[in-house]
Amino acid sequence: LDNGLALTPPMGWLAWQRYRCITDCEMYPDDCVNEQLFMKAADLLVSEGYSELGYNYVIVDDCWLAKNRSADGKLQADKIRFPSGIKALSDYVHSKGLKFGIYEDWGTKTCAGYPGVLGHEELDAKTFAEWEVDYVKLDGCYSNVRHMDKGYPEFGRHLNSTGRPMVYSCSWPAYQEEKGMLIDYASMAKHCNLWRNYDDIDDSWESMIKIADYFAQKQEFWAKYAGPGHWNDPDMLLIGNFGLTYDQSKTQMAIWAILAAPLLMSNKLAEVQPHFKDILQNKKVIEVNQDKLGIQGTRVFRDKGIDIWTRPVEPFNDGYYSYAVAFVSRRVDGAPYPYNITLEDLGLKNPNGYSIINLYGKEKSTTSCIFNSKTPIKVRVIPSGVVFLRMNIENSNTPCTDH
Ligand SMILES: OC[C@@H]1[C@H](O)[C@H](O)[C@@H](O)CN1C(=S)Nc1ccc(F)cc1
């Protein structure tokens, strides 16, 4: 969507995966969907160093609403759980220098059964502008999938007519994909800043890698629609929760960086363990995800249980081609698996050579030597883990010794 927003994939924190629709704040005061949850998330994004790295959206998901609209037909928040109201919450988030996102559903109800926008589209868009919302996630439950091709663009026009810039996240393709419909991705890129293509992510390796594999299967259809202002969305980051190991967390962060995916954490920020936080705050990996070219990478190679993903990154012009390259092991036979490949076999043919940086390596790993495209690079990949490298074209002439 050409509204000047989301020129790189949005980054931030989205409640759904970790907090679902927990509304019993008596029983679960620290884990329920209420205003405290989002105010605390805003505080921690700043105090824990996330916001300075780009994580700046605090996004409310389903279940924020009262069960009914107010007398004048406007959407309203649950009065017990959001006693100060959404505008006050939005103001609080803005006071921390962050941006505020909210959820609704192009249907009669949200997936969890709260009021949907159908029949109130213009009013609801205006309400979001009044609340100074910066990002709207529009879900697609309780609606006719065949009418989404008109409904989602129309709601986007209502948002645009308010005059307030708002990132527009659409769930439209995910619902049409589910029905096996032919999907108009050109329309998606025209009307939405990002869009969910596929199933909801759950807190497990199986769920995350199923989504990654589906994006690889569909890459020839989907990747070309990604670019500044319009992104495919494989759903939230699981890192810091219960389901992924340390190495599996590095794998999700690497694949989401290759895919130019939104980096929307959904975790309990106060309890993210330091080595998981290091993954979420890895500047070199975030730099790949936020690369200005906005080219979505692809899975280019599968061999011996090693999946290889590459993404073109800057500098990438007149002969200078640089890449991020991820080696993901799907093996389960215990030992880290040694894998060698020449850059030429990877399709990186620059004769002058490349510097190679291990994005998950220690700082010292920034090599100054170069590999020419025939030098085999040797990696050892941990089961369901990843070796994530950045290869920049170099014209220096200090060839690398064996790596
Ligand atoms: O209720 C909202 C929730 C989250 O917003 C997800 O990100 C959305 O993709 C939709 N969603 C859920 S649980 N959707 C849903 C998931 C399973 C199901 F059988 C029916 C609806």
Side-chain angles (χ1 to χ4, degrees):
L1 169 60
D2 184 13
N3 59 358
L5 301 175
L7 298 182
T8 60
M11 294 174 66
W13 186 86
L14 173 58
W16 180 257
Q17 204 289 326
R18 178 59 187 263
Y19 293 90
R20 317 303 279 198
C21 195
I22 299 171
T23 52
D24 183 348
C25 294
E26 302 291 311
M27 183 69 78
Y28 308 109
D30 298 336
D31 291 326
C32 68
V33 175
N34 65 1
E35 62 185 30
Q36 293 301 322
L37 175 66
F38 300 95
M39 293 165 76
K40 189 124 184 59
D43 294 344
L44 289 167
L45 284 176
V46 176
S47 63
E48 294 288 318
Y50 290 98
S51 57
E52 66 195 86
L53 294 167
Y55 293 96
N56 62 336
Y57 283 94
V58 177
I59 308 169
V60 177
D61 207 278
D62 206 342
C63 310
W64 61 273
L65 302 102
K67 276 295 181 193
N68 303 302
R69 291 172 173 266
S70 58
D72 58 3
K74 288 175 81 169
L75 290 171
Q76 56 182 352
D78 181 277
K79 288 189 173 27
I80 310 286
R81 294 183 285 117
F82 293 81
S84 315
I86 298 297
K87 178 63 170 67
L89 177 57
S90 164
D91 290 345
Y92 184 85
V93 169
H94 291 142
S95 76
K96 309 295 284 184
L98 305 173
K99 299 221 183 266
F100 180 68
I102 202 160
Y103 164 102
E104 246 300 353
D105 185 298
W106 191 78
T108 54
K109 292 187 282 186
T110 72
C111 297
Y114 294 86
V117 301
L118 274 201
H120 306 79
E121 292 92 329
E122 183 170 4
L123 173 62
D124 293 350
K126 284 178 177 166
T127 304
F128 291 156
E130 271 166 37
W131 291 346
E132 296 189 343
V133 166
D134 305 295
Y135 180 116
V136 176
K137 168 175 173 179
L138 196 65
D139 207 347
C141 283
Y142 299 101
S143 59
N144 182 334
V145 206
R146 302 200 174 291
H147 298 165
M148 290 181 169
D149 291 281
K150 285 200 175 3
Y152 271 89
E154 181 196 353
F155 192 80
R157 279 191 291 278
H158 287 311
L159 289 175
N160 185 45
S161 305
T162 66
R164 180 178 178 82
M166 291 182 255
V167 173
Y168 187 27
S169 166
C170 304
S171 297
W172 160 26
Y175 288 86
Q176 293 191 332
E177 186 74 21
E178 199 179 18
K179 301 269 192 231
M181 291 168 62
L182 207 60
I183 299 171
D184 182 350
Y185 278 97
S187 180
M188 226 55 74
K190 182 165 181 264
H191 296 290
C192 305
N193 289 118
L194 62 159
W195 52 86
R196 281 277 311 284
N197 303 64
Y198 187 48
D199 292 352
D200 289 1
I201 199 164
D202 288 321
D203 192 8
S204 74
W205 165 258
E206 291 69 27
S207 171
M208 187 277 285
I209 206 69
K210 179 190 80 170
I211 291 168
D213 285 342
Y214 201 76
F215 268 66
Q217 283 161 35
K218 295 282 192 175
Q219 62 196 15
E220 61 191 288
F221 306 110
W222 293 356
K224 59 180 175 246
Y225 292 109
H230 44 91
W231 309 100
N232 292 294
D233 178 1
D235 215 350
M236 296 160 268
L237 290 175
L238 302 170
I239 300 160
N241 292 313
F242 312 105
L244 298 189
T245 65
Y246 175 69
D247 285 287
Q248 291 169 347
S249 299
K250 286 164 75 172
T251 297
Q252 183 184 27
M253 195 74 181
I255 293 176
W256 264 233
I258 291 273
L259 289 175
L263 298 180
L264 299 174
M265 300 183 285
S266 189
N267 53 23
K268 189 166 203 170
L269 288 166
E271 294 182 359
V272 175
Q273 297 167 49
H275 52 298
F276 286 100
K277 184 178 164 192
D278 290 345
I279 297 168
L280 292 165
Q281 297 197 347
N282 183 314
K283 285 184 185 166
K284 293 180 285 187
V285 175
I286 291 172
E287 187 182 8
V288 170
N289 175 270
Q290 296 287 299
D291 186 81
K292 295 271 175 300
L293 295 172
I295 298 171
Q296 179 172 327
T298 53
R299 189 174 72 193
V300 293
F301 211 67
R302 308 195 86 176
D303 179 29
K304 301 195 182 66
I306 304 294
D307 291 349
I308 302 180
W309 299 71
T310 64
R311 170 180 176 172
V313 292
E314 291 183 308
F316 196 84
N317 47 35
D318 53 63
Y320 273 76
Y321 301 111
S322 306
Y323 294 87
V325 180
F327 297 83
V328 172
S329 170
R330 310 296 294 267
R331 299 176 67 96
V332 289
D333 57 349
Y337 192 77
Y339 193 80
N340 309 344
I341 189 164
T342 66
L343 299 179
E344 188 166 64
D345 290 344
L346 264 179
L348 280 54
K349 295 191 172 54
N350 175 56
N352 304 349
Y354 296 82
S355 65
I356 296 187
I357 295 172
N358 178 346
L359 297 176
Y360 282 129
K362 301 283 169 292
E363 277 319 305
K364 70 172 174 39
S365 76
T366 45
T367 55
S368 56
C369 64
I370 61 155
F371 284 78
N372 67 41
S373 44
K374 294 199 187 321
T375 321
I377 34 175
K378 299 176 177 165
V379 296
R380 286 182 74 221
V381 201
I382 290 170
S384 75
V386 62
V387 171
F388 197 20
L389 308 176
R390 183 182 185 123
M391 298 169 179
N392 277 54
I393 305 278
E394 299 293 342
N395 285 322
S396 72
N397 50 15
T398 45
C400 290
T401 53
D402 190 32
H403 249 63

